[in-house]
Short mmCIF file of all heavy atoms in Angstrom, two decimals:
data_model
loop_
_atom_site.label_atom_id
_atom_site.label_comp_id
_atom_site.label_asym_id
_atom_site.label_seq_id
_atom_site.Cartn_x
_atom_site.Cartn_y
_atom_site.Cartn_z
N ASP L 352 -22.22 -22.89 48.98
CA ASP L 352 -23.33 -22.48 49.86
C ASP L 352 -23.34 -23.31 51.14
O ASP L 352 -22.89 -24.46 51.16
CB ASP L 352 -24.66 -22.61 49.11
CG ASP L 352 -24.71 -21.71 47.88
OD1 ASP L 352 -24.20 -20.58 47.96
OD2 ASP L 352 -25.24 -22.15 46.84
N THR L 353 -23.89 -22.74 52.21
CA THR L 353 -23.92 -23.39 53.52
C THR L 353 -25.18 -24.22 53.68
O THR L 353 -26.29 -23.71 53.52
CB THR L 353 -23.86 -22.33 54.64
OG1 THR L 353 -22.68 -21.55 54.47
CG2 THR L 353 -23.86 -22.99 56.01
N ALA L 354 -25.02 -25.51 54.01
CA ALA L 354 -26.16 -26.41 54.19
C ALA L 354 -26.55 -26.47 55.67
O ALA L 354 -25.69 -26.66 56.54
CB ALA L 354 -25.84 -27.80 53.68
N LEU L 355 -27.84 -26.31 55.94
CA LEU L 355 -28.38 -26.45 57.30
C LEU L 355 -29.52 -27.46 57.27
O LEU L 355 -30.38 -27.41 56.39
CB LEU L 355 -28.89 -25.10 57.82
CG LEU L 355 -27.84 -24.00 58.04
CD1 LEU L 355 -28.53 -22.70 58.45
CD2 LEU L 355 -26.84 -24.42 59.11
N TRP L 356 -29.53 -28.37 58.26
CA TRP L 356 -30.54 -29.44 58.30
C TRP L 356 -31.69 -29.05 59.21
O TRP L 356 -31.50 -28.43 60.25
CB TRP L 356 -29.91 -30.73 58.82
CG TRP L 356 -28.88 -31.31 57.90
CD1 TRP L 356 -27.60 -30.87 57.72
CD2 TRP L 356 -29.05 -32.43 57.04
NE1 TRP L 356 -26.97 -31.64 56.79
CE2 TRP L 356 -27.81 -32.62 56.36
CE3 TRP L 356 -30.12 -33.29 56.78
CZ2 TRP L 356 -27.63 -33.64 55.43
CZ3 TRP L 356 -29.93 -34.31 55.85
CH2 TRP L 356 -28.71 -34.48 55.19
N ARG L 357 -32.88 -29.48 58.82
CA ARG L 357 -34.08 -29.38 59.66
C ARG L 357 -34.64 -30.79 59.80
O ARG L 357 -35.19 -31.33 58.86
CB ARG L 357 -35.13 -28.48 59.00
CG ARG L 357 -34.78 -27.00 59.02
CD ARG L 357 -35.68 -26.18 58.11
NE ARG L 357 -37.12 -26.29 58.41
CZ ARG L 357 -37.74 -25.60 59.36
NH1 ARG L 357 -37.06 -24.78 60.15
NH2 ARG L 357 -39.05 -25.72 59.54
N GLY L 358 -34.47 -31.37 60.97
CA GLY L 358 -34.99 -32.72 61.19
C GLY L 358 -33.92 -33.78 61.02
O GLY L 358 -32.81 -33.52 60.58
N THR L 366 -35.53 -31.74 56.03
CA THR L 366 -35.26 -30.72 55.01
C THR L 366 -33.80 -30.29 55.12
O THR L 366 -33.25 -30.23 56.22
CB THR L 366 -36.18 -29.50 55.22
OG1 THR L 366 -37.54 -29.89 55.04
CG2 THR L 366 -35.86 -28.38 54.24
N VAL L 367 -33.20 -30.01 53.99
CA VAL L 367 -31.89 -29.37 53.94
C VAL L 367 -32.07 -28.01 53.28
O VAL L 367 -32.69 -27.91 52.21
CB VAL L 367 -30.86 -30.19 53.14
CG1 VAL L 367 -29.51 -29.47 53.14
CG2 VAL L 367 -30.71 -31.57 53.72
N CYS L 368 -31.55 -26.96 53.93
CA CYS L 368 -31.61 -25.60 53.38
C CYS L 368 -30.20 -25.15 53.03
O CYS L 368 -29.25 -25.44 53.75
CB CYS L 368 -32.20 -24.63 54.41
SG CYS L 368 -33.89 -25.00 54.91
N TRP L 369 -30.07 -24.44 51.91
CA TRP L 369 -28.77 -23.88 51.53
C TRP L 369 -28.85 -22.36 51.62
O TRP L 369 -29.75 -21.74 51.05
CB TRP L 369 -28.39 -24.29 50.11
CG TRP L 369 -27.89 -25.69 50.02
CD1 TRP L 369 -26.60 -26.12 50.17
CD2 TRP L 369 -28.66 -26.88 49.73
NE1 TRP L 369 -26.51 -27.49 50.01
CE2 TRP L 369 -27.76 -27.98 49.73
CE3 TRP L 369 -30.02 -27.12 49.47
CZ2 TRP L 369 -28.18 -29.28 49.48
CZ3 TRP L 369 -30.43 -28.41 49.23
CH2 TRP L 369 -29.52 -29.48 49.24
N LEU L 370 -27.89 -21.78 52.35
CA LEU L 370 -27.81 -20.33 52.49
C LEU L 370 -26.60 -19.79 51.74
O LEU L 370 -25.53 -20.42 51.73
CB LEU L 370 -27.68 -19.93 53.97
CG LEU L 370 -28.87 -20.20 54.90
CD1 LEU L 370 -28.53 -19.69 56.30
CD2 LEU L 370 -30.13 -19.54 54.39
N ARG L 371 -26.78 -18.63 51.13
CA ARG L 371 -25.68 -17.88 50.55
C ARG L 371 -25.68 -16.54 51.28
O ARG L 371 -26.56 -15.71 51.06
CB ARG L 371 -25.88 -17.70 49.05
CG ARG L 371 -24.71 -17.11 48.29
CD ARG L 371 -24.95 -17.16 46.79
NE ARG L 371 -25.10 -18.54 46.32
CZ ARG L 371 -25.42 -18.87 45.06
NH1 ARG L 371 -25.63 -17.91 44.16
NH2 ARG L 371 -25.54 -20.14 44.71
N GLY L 372 -24.71 -16.39 52.19
CA GLY L 372 -24.82 -15.26 53.12
C GLY L 372 -26.01 -15.53 54.04
O GLY L 372 -26.11 -16.60 54.64
N ASP L 373 -26.94 -14.58 54.11
CA ASP L 373 -28.13 -14.80 54.95
C ASP L 373 -29.38 -15.08 54.10
O ASP L 373 -30.50 -15.06 54.62
CB ASP L 373 -28.37 -13.60 55.88
CG ASP L 373 -28.64 -12.30 55.11
OD1 ASP L 373 -28.58 -12.32 53.86
OD2 ASP L 373 -28.89 -11.27 55.77
N ARG L 374 -29.18 -15.34 52.81
CA ARG L 374 -30.32 -15.58 51.93
C ARG L 374 -30.48 -17.07 51.63
O ARG L 374 -29.50 -17.77 51.35
CB ARG L 374 -30.18 -14.81 50.60
CG ARG L 374 -29.95 -13.32 50.77
CD ARG L 374 -31.10 -12.65 51.51
NE ARG L 374 -30.77 -11.32 51.98
CZ ARG L 374 -31.22 -10.20 51.43
NH1 ARG L 374 -32.00 -10.25 50.37
NH2 ARG L 374 -30.90 -9.03 51.95
N LEU L 375 -31.71 -17.54 51.69
CA LEU L 375 -32.01 -18.90 51.31
C LEU L 375 -31.97 -19.00 49.79
O LEU L 375 -32.64 -18.23 49.09
CB LEU L 375 -33.41 -19.27 51.82
CG LEU L 375 -33.89 -20.71 51.63
CD1 LEU L 375 -33.05 -21.68 52.46
CD2 LEU L 375 -35.37 -20.84 52.02
N LEU L 393 -39.67 -17.72 50.21
CA LEU L 393 -38.56 -17.00 50.82
C LEU L 393 -37.40 -16.82 49.85
O LEU L 393 -36.73 -15.78 49.85
CB LEU L 393 -38.09 -17.73 52.08
CG LEU L 393 -39.07 -17.72 53.26
CD1 LEU L 393 -38.68 -18.77 54.29
CD2 LEU L 393 -39.11 -16.33 53.90
N THR L 398 -35.75 -12.90 51.33
CA THR L 398 -35.85 -12.52 52.74
C THR L 398 -34.62 -13.01 53.52
O THR L 398 -34.26 -14.18 53.44
CB THR L 398 -37.11 -13.15 53.37
OG1 THR L 398 -38.25 -12.72 52.62
CG2 THR L 398 -37.27 -12.73 54.82
N PRO L 399 -33.97 -12.15 54.29
CA PRO L 399 -32.83 -12.58 55.12
C PRO L 399 -33.27 -13.63 56.15
O PRO L 399 -34.31 -13.47 56.80
CB PRO L 399 -32.35 -11.29 55.79
CG PRO L 399 -32.89 -10.19 54.94
CD PRO L 399 -34.19 -10.69 54.40
N MET L 400 -32.47 -14.67 56.31
CA MET L 400 -32.80 -15.76 57.22
C MET L 400 -31.91 -15.70 58.46
O MET L 400 -30.81 -15.15 58.42
CB MET L 400 -32.61 -17.11 56.52
CG MET L 400 -33.39 -17.26 55.22
SD MET L 400 -35.19 -17.11 55.40
CE MET L 400 -35.54 -18.52 56.45
N ASN L 401 -32.39 -16.30 59.55
CA ASN L 401 -31.63 -16.41 60.78
C ASN L 401 -31.08 -17.84 60.88
O ASN L 401 -31.85 -18.77 61.13
CB ASN L 401 -32.51 -16.09 61.98
CG ASN L 401 -31.73 -16.04 63.28
OD1 ASN L 401 -30.76 -16.76 63.47
ND2 ASN L 401 -32.16 -15.18 64.20
N PRO L 402 -29.78 -18.04 60.71
CA PRO L 402 -29.23 -19.40 60.69
C PRO L 402 -29.33 -20.11 62.03
O PRO L 402 -29.16 -21.33 62.10
CB PRO L 402 -27.77 -19.19 60.27
CG PRO L 402 -27.46 -17.77 60.59
CD PRO L 402 -28.76 -17.02 60.45
N ARG L 403 -29.61 -19.39 63.11
CA ARG L 403 -29.79 -20.04 64.41
C ARG L 403 -31.20 -20.61 64.55
O ARG L 403 -31.41 -21.61 65.25
CB ARG L 403 -29.49 -19.06 65.55
CG ARG L 403 -28.03 -18.66 65.64
CD ARG L 403 -27.74 -17.85 66.90
NE ARG L 403 -28.56 -16.64 66.98
CZ ARG L 403 -28.27 -15.51 66.34
NH1 ARG L 403 -27.18 -15.45 65.58
NH2 ARG L 403 -29.03 -14.45 66.45
N LEU L 404 -32.18 -19.97 63.92
CA LEU L 404 -33.56 -20.44 64.02
C LEU L 404 -33.89 -21.48 62.96
O LEU L 404 -34.75 -22.34 63.17
CB LEU L 404 -34.52 -19.25 63.86
CG LEU L 404 -34.38 -18.09 64.86
CD1 LEU L 404 -35.38 -16.99 64.52
CD2 LEU L 404 -34.58 -18.58 66.28
N LEU L 405 -33.20 -21.41 61.85
CA LEU L 405 -33.53 -22.24 60.70
C LEU L 405 -33.51 -23.75 60.98
O LEU L 405 -34.38 -24.48 60.52
CB LEU L 405 -32.58 -21.89 59.55
CG LEU L 405 -32.95 -22.34 58.15
CD1 LEU L 405 -34.27 -21.72 57.70
CD2 LEU L 405 -31.84 -21.96 57.16
N PRO L 406 -32.53 -24.27 61.76
CA PRO L 406 -32.47 -25.72 61.94
C PRO L 406 -33.57 -26.33 62.81
O PRO L 406 -33.67 -27.55 62.89
CB PRO L 406 -31.08 -25.93 62.59
CG PRO L 406 -30.31 -24.70 62.28
CD PRO L 406 -31.33 -23.60 62.27
N ASP L 407 -34.37 -25.53 63.48
CA ASP L 407 -35.42 -26.05 64.36
C ASP L 407 -36.61 -26.52 63.52
O ASP L 407 -37.37 -25.70 63.00
CB ASP L 407 -35.85 -24.95 65.33
CG ASP L 407 -36.95 -25.41 66.29
OD1 ASP L 407 -37.39 -26.58 66.18
OD2 ASP L 407 -37.37 -24.59 67.13
N PRO L 408 -36.81 -27.84 63.38
CA PRO L 408 -37.88 -28.33 62.50
C PRO L 408 -39.28 -28.06 63.02
O PRO L 408 -40.26 -28.15 62.27
CB PRO L 408 -37.61 -29.84 62.42
CG PRO L 408 -36.89 -30.17 63.68
CD PRO L 408 -36.07 -28.95 64.02
N ARG L 410 -40.20 -25.16 64.11
CA ARG L 410 -40.49 -23.75 63.79
C ARG L 410 -40.83 -23.65 62.30
O ARG L 410 -40.08 -24.14 61.46
CB ARG L 410 -39.28 -22.89 64.11
CG ARG L 410 -39.42 -21.42 63.67
CD ARG L 410 -38.14 -20.65 63.90
NE ARG L 410 -37.93 -20.37 65.32
CZ ARG L 410 -38.44 -19.33 65.96
NH1 ARG L 410 -39.21 -18.45 65.32
NH2 ARG L 410 -38.21 -19.15 67.24
N PRO L 411 -41.95 -23.00 61.97
CA PRO L 411 -42.25 -22.81 60.55
C PRO L 411 -41.10 -22.06 59.87
O PRO L 411 -40.52 -21.13 60.44
CB PRO L 411 -43.53 -21.96 60.55
CG PRO L 411 -44.16 -22.23 61.88
CD PRO L 411 -43.02 -22.46 62.83
N LEU L 412 -40.76 -22.49 58.68
CA LEU L 412 -39.63 -21.89 57.97
C LEU L 412 -39.81 -20.38 57.80
O LEU L 412 -38.86 -19.61 57.91
CB LEU L 412 -39.49 -22.57 56.61
CG LEU L 412 -38.15 -22.45 55.89
CD1 LEU L 412 -37.03 -22.99 56.75
CD2 LEU L 412 -38.20 -23.21 54.57
N SER L 414 -40.94 -18.30 59.72
CA SER L 414 -40.64 -17.52 60.93
C SER L 414 -39.19 -17.66 61.35
O SER L 414 -38.80 -17.19 62.42
CB SER L 414 -41.56 -17.92 62.09
OG SER L 414 -41.21 -19.21 62.57
N ALA L 415 -38.37 -18.30 60.52
CA ALA L 415 -36.95 -18.44 60.82
C ALA L 415 -36.15 -17.35 60.11
O ALA L 415 -35.04 -17.57 59.62
CB ALA L 415 -36.45 -19.82 60.42
N THR L 416 -36.72 -16.17 60.04
CA THR L 416 -36.07 -15.04 59.36
C THR L 416 -35.37 -14.16 60.38
O THR L 416 -35.49 -14.38 61.61
CB THR L 416 -37.11 -14.20 58.59
OG1 THR L 416 -38.04 -13.66 59.53
CG2 THR L 416 -37.87 -15.08 57.60
N THR L 417 -34.65 -13.17 59.91
CA THR L 417 -33.96 -12.27 60.84
C THR L 417 -34.93 -11.41 61.62
O THR L 417 -34.60 -10.84 62.64
CB THR L 417 -32.96 -11.36 60.10
OG1 THR L 417 -33.67 -10.68 59.06
CG2 THR L 417 -31.82 -12.18 59.51
N ASN L 418 -36.17 -11.32 61.11
CA ASN L 418 -37.22 -10.58 61.81
C ASN L 418 -38.47 -11.44 61.86
O ASN L 418 -39.44 -11.21 61.15
CB ASN L 418 -37.50 -9.26 61.07
CG ASN L 418 -38.50 -8.40 61.82
OD1 ASN L 418 -38.74 -8.60 63.02
ND2 ASN L 418 -39.12 -7.45 61.11
N PRO L 419 -38.45 -12.50 62.71
CA PRO L 419 -39.54 -13.48 62.71
C PRO L 419 -40.88 -12.90 63.10
O PRO L 419 -41.92 -13.51 62.85
CB PRO L 419 -39.06 -14.53 63.72
CG PRO L 419 -38.07 -13.83 64.59
CD PRO L 419 -37.42 -12.80 63.73
#
Side-chain angles (χ1 to χ4, degrees):
D352 298 322
T353 302
L355 294 175
W356 293 76
R357 287 168 58 82
T366 297
V367 181
C368 298
W369 283 272
L370 294 181
R371 188 172 299 175
D373 62 357
R374 305 300 165 105
L375 185 66
L393 291 164
T398 303
M400 304 300 296
N401 186 327
R403 292 188 302 279
L404 302 178
L405 196 61
D407 180 359
R410 173 185 286 274
L412 200 57
S414 72
T416 63
T417 54
N418 184 18

